[in-house]
Amino acid sequence: MAALATATIAAFALAPALSLGQLDLSVTLLTYLTIAQAWNVLAGFSGQISLGAAAFMAAGGYTTALILVHTGLPWPVAFLGAGVGAALLALLLAVPLLRLRGDYFAVGTLAVSIALQALLSNWNWAGGASGLTLPTERIPSGGNLYQITVVVTTLAMALTLYVRHSAFGLRLTAVRDNEPAAAGLGVSVYRHRLAALIPTSALTGLAGAVIAFQFVVISPDGVASVNWSLNAVLMSVVGGAGTVLGPVVGVGIVYYGLTRLLQDQQTLSLVIEGLLLVLIVRFAPQGVWPLVCRALRFPAARRRVSPATAETGSDSSPQRVCQP
């Protein structure tokens, strides 16, 4: 947590030094990281493979837009409303969805995303297929939007760290690894899955609000696109689902390493992303980050520990870096 707090403070301090283009890129990267970490907690740690990130993005983005367009409330209220709206949607869907397992849960969440996109396209009060335009004079932008996004991403990282190192997270991974055995030991499967679904949905909703602020115009084809769900899956799986730093690596590889550099060749970018996913699943199913950690640990494991290290207990090996 100390490292996370230091990184957050450094990110805040960096804001005045960034140009508008760099701020916009940072907001995009951090938003993707938030979505990837939320999916990572839900799928990587609790075993709920979801394709519904787009639904909660849409819930958050549209809640923010509707509050700003149809009321005189300030943007902080609209922003917090995004998290509440997405959490309420998750709570509403929990009863039918959490009864599903495996592929059925994934298909169910995908169906919710598609249905919500169709609903928004035909909802006139929400702008229909054309969407809504936010009042630019009442929304944060530039450095303020960047700092808001840093806070949201910090919350996502903090949630992941908590799940990784807490007793709750241990029970959650027990449910993921062997649900009948966890239930036999007294772990409430439904409550733990619900406890993972609600905060991750709220974080995804806050990311939807950030996207609404960033693009000003919000539409079903944008914030409710299934591409958000696919990107969350791709970034987490490529980086390493079930780890803290895996999604960070995944966002760097998928977005900055592929999507942005190949933005003028979208077809080629999609082909490479699909091929990368196939290769990762086939040859490194745990993801790139665990693979890098194993590669770094191998030469260190072969070296004999020096007397000085044994006496002081200090260890500069990569194991500490890879520990989270």
Side-chain angles (χ1 to χ4, degrees):
M1 286 295 184
L4 178 60
T6 302
T8 302
I9 294 172
F12 263 88
L14 191 63
L18 298 176
S19 65
L20 288 178
Q22 291 170 331
L23 287 172
D24 186 69
L25 174 60
S26 299
V27 167
T28 301
L29 284 171
L30 291 174
T31 302
Y32 273 118
L33 179 55
T34 299
I35 301 167
Q37 284 290 19
W39 189 91
N40 182 37
V41 171
L42 188 62
F45 287 97
S46 74
Q48 302 178 82
I49 308 299
S50 170
L51 294 176
F56 301 111
M57 287 282 293
Y62 266 90
T63 298
T64 298
L66 290 171
I67 291 175
L68 289 174
V69 171
H70 296 295
T71 73
L73 296 174
W75 70 261
V77 176
F79 178 70
L80 294 177
V84 174
L88 288 176
L89 177 62
L91 189 61
L92 178 65
L93 296 173
V95 174
L97 287 181
L98 293 184
R99 297 177 183 275
L100 304 175
R101 297 291 184 269
D103 296 340
Y104 296 101
F105 180 83
V107 172
T109 55
L110 178 61
V112 168
S113 296
I114 296 173
L116 184 59
Q117 186 180 28
L119 174 64
L120 292 172
S121 298
N122 293 280
W123 190 13
N124 293 331
W125 196 63
S130 300
L132 295 170
T133 300
L134 278 64
T136 54
E137 70 279 0
R138 291 171 52 208
I139 62 175
S141 60
N144 290 333
L145 180 58
Y146 166 77
Q147 291 175 337
I148 293 168
T149 313
V150 169
V151 171
V152 175
T153 306
T154 300
L155 291 175
M157 294 294 296
L159 176 63
T160 309
L161 283 169
Y162 171 74
V163 171
R164 173 65 178 81
H165 296 288
S166 67
F168 167 77
L170 185 61
R171 293 191 295 270
L172 198 61
T173 53
V175 171
R176 176 199 66 190
D177 294 338
N178 195 324
E179 182 178 323
L185 292 173
V187 177
S188 174
V189 174
Y190 181 84
R191 290 181 181 178
H192 280 75
R193 288 187 184 276
L194 180 63
L197 178 64
I198 298 299
T200 55
S201 300
L203 285 169
T204 307
L206 292 177
V210 170
I211 291 298
F213 291 148
Q214 185 181 25
F215 291 98
V216 182
V217 178
I218 185 173
S219 67
D221 291 335
V223 74
S225 172
V226 179
N227 287 336
W228 292 109
S229 301
L230 299 179
N231 282 325
V233 175
L234 183 64
M235 291 172 180
S236 295
V237 171
V238 168
T243 65
V244 175
L245 296 180
V248 179
V249 175
V251 169
I253 294 174
V254 175
Y255 179 76
Y256 198 80
L258 293 177
T259 304
R260 185 170 176 83
L261 295 181
L262 297 175
Q263 58 185 348
D264 296 330
Q265 303 178 37
Q266 294 186 1
T267 302
L268 178 60
S269 176
L270 291 174
V271 171
I272 294 177
E273 288 178 7
L275 180 61
L276 177 63
L277 182 60
V278 171
L279 292 175
I280 290 294
V281 172
R282 176 64 180 84
F283 297 105
Q286 293 183 333
V288 171
W289 177 243
L291 184 66
V292 171
C293 286
R294 286 198 299 271
L296 292 174
R297 288 191 186 116
F298 181 72
R302 298 186 61 180
R303 291 197 301 267
R304 180 177 299 177
V305 179
S306 66
T309 303
E311 291 177 4
T312 60
S314 62
D315 185 6
S316 59
S317 71
Q319 188 168 355
R320 283 189 175 184
V321 179
C322 296
Q323 185 63 33

